[in-house]
Amino acid sequence: MERVLVIGGARALGAAVARRASTDGYDVVVGARDLSAAGVLAREIGGTAVRVDLQDEATIAAAAQRLRDGVDHVVTTGSAPHDVRATELDRDRLLTAFTAKVLGPLLVAKHFAPVLRPTGSMVLFSGVVGWRPGPGSLVKGITNGAVEYAARHLAADLAPVRVNAVSPGVVDSGAWDRLGDAKAGLLSRSAAGTFVGRHGEADDVVDAVMWLLRAGFVSGETIHVEGGARHRSA
């Protein structure tokens, strides 16, 4: 049975990936900053939990040591948005955002490279904002764009382990529930900005992730799951 570690796996898209991986027969390790939340999901799906905080390299190293008998795939879904204009940038929050999307996954590669099996893979998470510049999305855009290059260069560095990225558009994953009544408007506007006439669902993204875990001849790529939104004019 192949083992997959899902970092950020206790909530939203990470939890959806963990649930599907379990259904598909993988041995799932739910990695999250909140170990208790990871444990709840792990018990639900018959997996295990481990604390992984992308802002804390020591937790990444400890997780790799705990899983030293081998991991086939690592999926990392972490993010820490800092949605402000350039004149409002906060240095600490800027570093937190880059660590969640770029620096943290690089440190995951550092510590898990000796643990990942040669036929395995890493899947990073980018996002459509990387290809759609706009006021107030500076940090999110740059960090998501950087993930594409991280996947490409890690694929060369970790070969034959495959490294790819998934770049979702606006997806109804539960992350937008915090908007309350405004959520419906956001999803409606997102649907209008795609070629396919709808917003994304969690399963759209999970399908892409699961395909990449099995796509043995795909490496260094970014798979865009956003209905063509990056090709539409803003």
Side-chain angles (χ1 to χ4, degrees), residues 32-210:
R33 179 169 49 193
D34 183 344
L35 185 57
S36 62
V40 169
L41 180 58
R43 287 189 292 275
E44 174 192 325
I45 64 176
T48 56
V50 64
R51 184 167 186 267
V52 180
D53 181 353
L54 292 173
Q55 307 291 332
D56 184 351
E57 184 178 2
T59 69
I60 299 170
Q65 176 63 21
R66 177 175 170 184
L67 301 173
R68 63 185 179 277
D69 56 330
V71 173
D72 294 282
H73 308 283
V74 176
V75 180
T76 175
T77 70
S79 66
H82 182 35
D83 297 329
V84 297
R85 303 291 291 266
T87 55
E88 301 167 323
L89 287 171
D90 176 87
R91 184 179 185 278
D92 289 342
R93 293 190 66 189
L94 184 63
L95 290 174
T96 297
F98 270 87
T99 299
K101 279 283 186 179
V102 184
L103 303 181
L106 288 175
L107 293 173
V108 170
K110 169 187 173 180
H111 291 286
F112 276 86
V115 175
L116 276 163
R117 297 186 176 109
T119 54
S121 71
M122 289 185 66
V123 178
L124 314 182
F125 262 63
S126 180
V128 67
V129 181
W131 288 263
R132 301 204 71 182
S137 62
L138 178 69
V139 177
K140 187 180 292 182
I142 293 172
T143 55
N144 281 318
V147 171
E148 178 180 25
Y149 286 90
R152 193 178 304 177
H153 288 274
L154 280 172
D157 199 76
L158 298 182
V161 171
R162 297 177 295 108
V163 184
N164 295 289
V166 171
S167 178
V170 175
V171 174
D172 188 9
S173 65
W176 302 109
D177 293 352
R178 58 184 169 78
L179 297 179
D181 293 340
K183 172 184 168 180
L186 171 71
L187 295 179
S188 177
R189 290 191 298 275
S190 171
T194 70
F195 288 151
V196 298
R198 68 173 178 86
H199 62 76
E201 301 288 352
D203 279 347
D204 295 317
V205 179
V206 175
D207 287 345
V209 173
M210 299 312 296

Side-chain angles (χ1 to χ4, degrees), residues 2-40:
E2 291 190 348
R3 175 189 278 174
V4 56
L5 166 65
V6 184
I7 298 173
R11 60 180 296 275
L13 286 173
V17 170
R19 288 190 174 96
R20 175 76 70 81
S22 177
T23 299
D24 286 1
Y26 288 89
D27 172 18
V28 180
V29 181
V30 181
R33 179 169 49 193
D34 183 344
L35 185 57
S36 62
V40 169

